[in-house]
Amino acid sequence: MKFETTALHGGRKVDSDTLSCATPVYRTASYLFKDTEHAANLFALKEPGNIYTRLGNPTQAVLEERLAMLEGGAASLALASGTSAIFYSIINICEAGDEVVAANNLYGGTYSQFDSILPQLGIKVRLVDPSNPENFKSAINDKTRALYCETIGNPGLTMTDIEAVAMIGQEYNLPLIVDATFTPPCLLRPIDYGANIVVHSLTKWIGGHGTVIGGITTDAGNFDWTDPKFTLFNEPDSSYHGLRYAHDLGDMNSIAFALRMRLVPLRNLGACISPDNCWSILQGMETLALRMERHSENGLAVAEFLQSHDGVEWVHYPGLKNSSKYETASRYLTNGFGGMVAFGVKGGITSGKQFIESLNLFSHLANVGDAKSLAIHPASTTHSQLSEKQLEMSGISASMIRLSIGIEHIDDILTDLTQALDKS
Ligand SMILES: *Cc1c(COP(=O)(O)O)cnc(C)c1O
């Protein structure tokens, strides 16, 4: 099946009792055992089935199977948020003393997690400039257990050369984790370029309507965890009958990463997604390819419009032909460049605020990937605690406006931007 078809039918199972056409929401905390043997088999992983919704749920299972198919992966695990999907992906590999080499142009929440939470657990993250993939290589040492990057990074909306980073990972036998939130799988499938684990915030374009929070991690099934340096996969797990995840899973060994993530971090830390949120996200996924076409078409039109406007200092968009980012971006993004546009408004922080306050159609809020157009002025909101110097260091200028372009008619989007630029 092609992408658009899988987005509607992948993993869909007809409920045999009701013949419900849509995937039902299984709004239950737990499931009956048929008898004691059935219960024992479920707990011993001898038989697949439902036990308790913290571990999984049939609505969630459809979402996971569908996303794994769309991503070209072997198995997915949906979680409460993109943030928990990232955290669990790291702690599923690393323990105290281990290190991760990550791109430095990360989503703000991920930056804080890597900068302040992971060190509390004894996990060190070395941040490198991803514009040259060799920087990942220079930061690798014998404690490194994973490489991490985003497909399109903040704030410059620069595309990382995933294939080059994945090759470095292969050379050192290290898995590459890619946060592909800004490029849903109809635009880019990092696994096709050698990524081993792909993370998404489902809250953004995949859910697509700004209604629910969710996250997902997909295991490509292409990484060999039997290297003894991955202790969590090679030493017997005393909390799971002495199971060694890289060795004892039989025909499920190829999805050791996804399975361990469900059996250990999810089971015992508990950031599970609700069945209702899975249903909303499935609903969004049905139109993902259609929406991304429009997000990308509108995104490019807005970037080109801003570039030729007198009130604009600069524009960041991966699809602008005269930009230095274009070469790498156009190699990876053949179906569109997505809906994120950043630009500098002339006149600094005052004009930036005035621009935001003058918008009518755009919603002023902290989110991206909604079907509706969104705008934020980082210097007066998300980054307002930073000094001018710190702002400069994180690449956020006082005049920067970040837009998430929606699927409205382009004429209405440009009309709103024009009048707000006039006022600013
Ligand atoms: C939003 C976002 C996250 C975090 O996802 P939540 O669902 O908000 O927890 C992570 N990475 C990127 C690139 C995001 O845009």
Side-chain angles (χ1 to χ4, degrees), residues 10-92:
R12 186 171 167 230
K13 287 171 195 67
V14 175
D15 182 274
S16 55
D17 288 340
T18 62
L19 303 182
S20 165
C21 172
T23 298
V25 185
Y26 290 89
R27 214 178 243 153
T28 178
S30 53
Y31 295 83
L32 302 174
F33 302 126
K34 292 176 201 154
D35 50 40
T36 50
E37 190 192 344
H38 178 225
N41 283 343
L42 288 176
F43 274 92
L45 304 178
K46 285 187 187 147
E47 193 178 320
N50 301 301
I51 299 176
Y52 188 64
T53 285
R54 170 153 44 75
L55 306 172
N57 176 287
T59 316
Q60 179 182 344
V62 176
L63 170 62
E64 290 168 344
E65 196 173 330
R66 188 169 298 176
L67 203 282
M69 290 169 83
L70 294 175
E71 197 77 81
S76 296
L77 179 66
L79 291 154
S81 64
T83 303
S84 52
I86 292 164
F87 182 54
Y88 285 8
S89 297
I90 301 287
I91 63 164
N92 202 32

Side-chain angles (χ1 to χ4, degrees), residues 251-316:
D251 52 7
M252 287 191 294
N253 261 344
S254 64
I255 55 161
F257 179 86
L259 207 61
R260 189 186 184 281
M261 195 149 147
R262 192 185 298 276
L263 296 179
V264 185
L266 178 60
R267 185 174 64 128
N268 300 315
L269 294 173
C272 59
I273 188 166
S274 80
D276 289 78
N277 284 6
C278 292
W279 186 89
S280 299
I281 291 159
L282 278 169
Q283 195 69 19
M285 275 168 84
E286 295 199 349
T287 56
L288 177 60
L290 274 175
R291 285 185 288 103
M292 287 321 294
E293 261 179 56
R294 181 62 77 83
H295 280 296
S296 298
E297 189 184 308
N298 284 352
L300 182 60
V302 165
E304 285 172 344
F305 161 81
L306 290 171
Q307 204 174 34
S308 62
H309 196 285
D310 285 342
V312 172
E313 266 174 358
W314 50 265
V315 184
H316 290 322

Side-chain angles (χ1 to χ4, degrees), residues 79-86 106-110 148 150-154 179-182 199-205 212-216 367-368 402:
L79 291 154
S81 64
T83 303
S84 52
I86 292 164
L106 297 170
Y107 173 75
T110 307
Y148 186 98
E150 296 179 4
T151 52
I152 297 181
N154 275 307
D179 178 343
T181 301
F182 280 19
V199 180
H200 280 281
S201 166
L202 297 169
T203 316
K204 315 295 169 53
W205 290 269
V212 294
I213 303 280
I216 200 158
N367 192 17
V368 295
R402 198 184 67 178

